[in-house]
Amino acid sequence: MRDHWWWRPGWQVGRSFYTWHVTLADQPGARRLVSDYAPVLARLPQLDPVPARWLHLTLQGIGFTDEVDRADVERIARAARKRCAELEPFTVTIGPAHVDPETIQMPARPLEPLARLRLAIRAAIGEVWGPDDVPEPEAGFRAHVSLGYCNTAGPAEPVAAALDAHDRRTAEVTVSSVTLIDLNRDHKAYEWTDVATVLLGMP
């Protein structure tokens, strides 16, 4: 595994990023998975566990906050509200946890309703900036929720073995909203403030 917290291009201390997430702090099933896997992660000092309050599923980025006009952010949120009003809330299953090169993560399935939600967000961005200027590729979306981030380079085998020895746990979560956030990673954790929350199926 490799250290997740290296400074990716554009990132630096004090800089934050506008992005759309499905936040999960209020989902009992997701919080239960955090508790279920906590003893495993506690035995693995090379991992930084994600507190329940910061559980999330990343959908779509917009851009660094010092490069995006706040008026555009508000226009994108309004466009997203209009498009998400046409979508109904849905349920997905997250888990079980598995090893990724930089994280312990749980896939979210089925993918289709999450992909449809992401397309609605992308369309909202395209409505404001034009379809050719929507950030990030449309293809390759991997819906997942991370339980922990690797904080140093090292072998994946001990982490995989610890997960294999644990019961394979899953949980259902209901997606009824998507949140535009101002995301920061200064403290080797993803932390944010909410900018706008958009409800599905609500005009």
Side-chain angles (χ1 to χ4, degrees):
M1 301 182 74
R2 58 180 180 261
D3 184 0
H4 179 78
W5 300 117
W6 63 282
W7 289 106
R8 289 161 171 76
W11 282 98
Q12 62 187 27
V13 174
R15 203 173 196 204
S16 61
F17 192 82
Y18 289 126
T19 183
W20 290 91
H21 281 185
V22 175
T23 58
L24 300 171
D26 63 344
Q27 294 281 327
R31 296 180 71 92
R32 187 176 66 251
L33 280 183
V34 170
S35 296
D36 287 344
Y37 280 104
V40 181
L41 272 64
R43 296 194 299 270
L44 298 167
Q46 65 270 52
L47 296 175
D48 295 326
V50 178
R53 67 175 296 197
W54 300 124
L55 277 183
H56 63 276
L57 189 155
T58 302
L59 278 182
Q60 172 66 43
I62 295 180
F64 287 104
T65 58
D66 57 359
E67 295 181 346
V68 178
D69 191 291
R70 185 60 183 240
D72 282 357
V73 172
E74 293 171 358
R75 292 169 63 203
I76 289 168
R78 287 196 297 270
R81 189 167 286 112
K82 178 179 65 178
R83 292 175 181 276
C84 289
E86 301 173 359
L87 303 177
E88 293 298 323
F90 56 89
T91 298
V92 295
T93 300
I94 57 174
H98 66 86
V99 179
D100 191 67
E102 295 183 3
T103 67
I104 299 299
Q105 63 180 228
M106 303 178 293
R109 296 291 182 271
L111 178 63
E112 193 273 335
L114 289 162
R116 188 168 61 244
L117 175 57
R118 182 171 185 259
L119 286 176
I121 296 298
R122 290 180 61 84
I125 299 170
E127 184 177 319
V128 176
W129 285 347
D132 294 334
D133 291 320
V134 178
E136 304 175 359
E138 179 181 329
F141 174 53
R142 294 193 308 126
H144 66 276
V145 177
S146 293
L147 276 173
Y149 296 100
C150 188
N151 56 40
T152 188
E157 289 78 9
V159 180
L163 290 175
D164 288 344
H166 194 66
D167 292 340
R168 293 172 62 83
R169 306 293 180 91
T170 63
E172 287 190 347
V173 298
T174 299
V175 179
S176 58
S177 66
V178 60
T179 305
L180 175 59
I181 63 174
D182 181 337
L183 179 73
N184 177 275
R185 50 166 290 175
D186 285 358
H187 306 112
K188 292 193 173 183
Y190 290 109
E191 303 168 324
W192 61 81
T193 56
D194 292 353
V195 176
T197 297
V198 172
L199 302 178
L200 276 60
M202 297 287 289

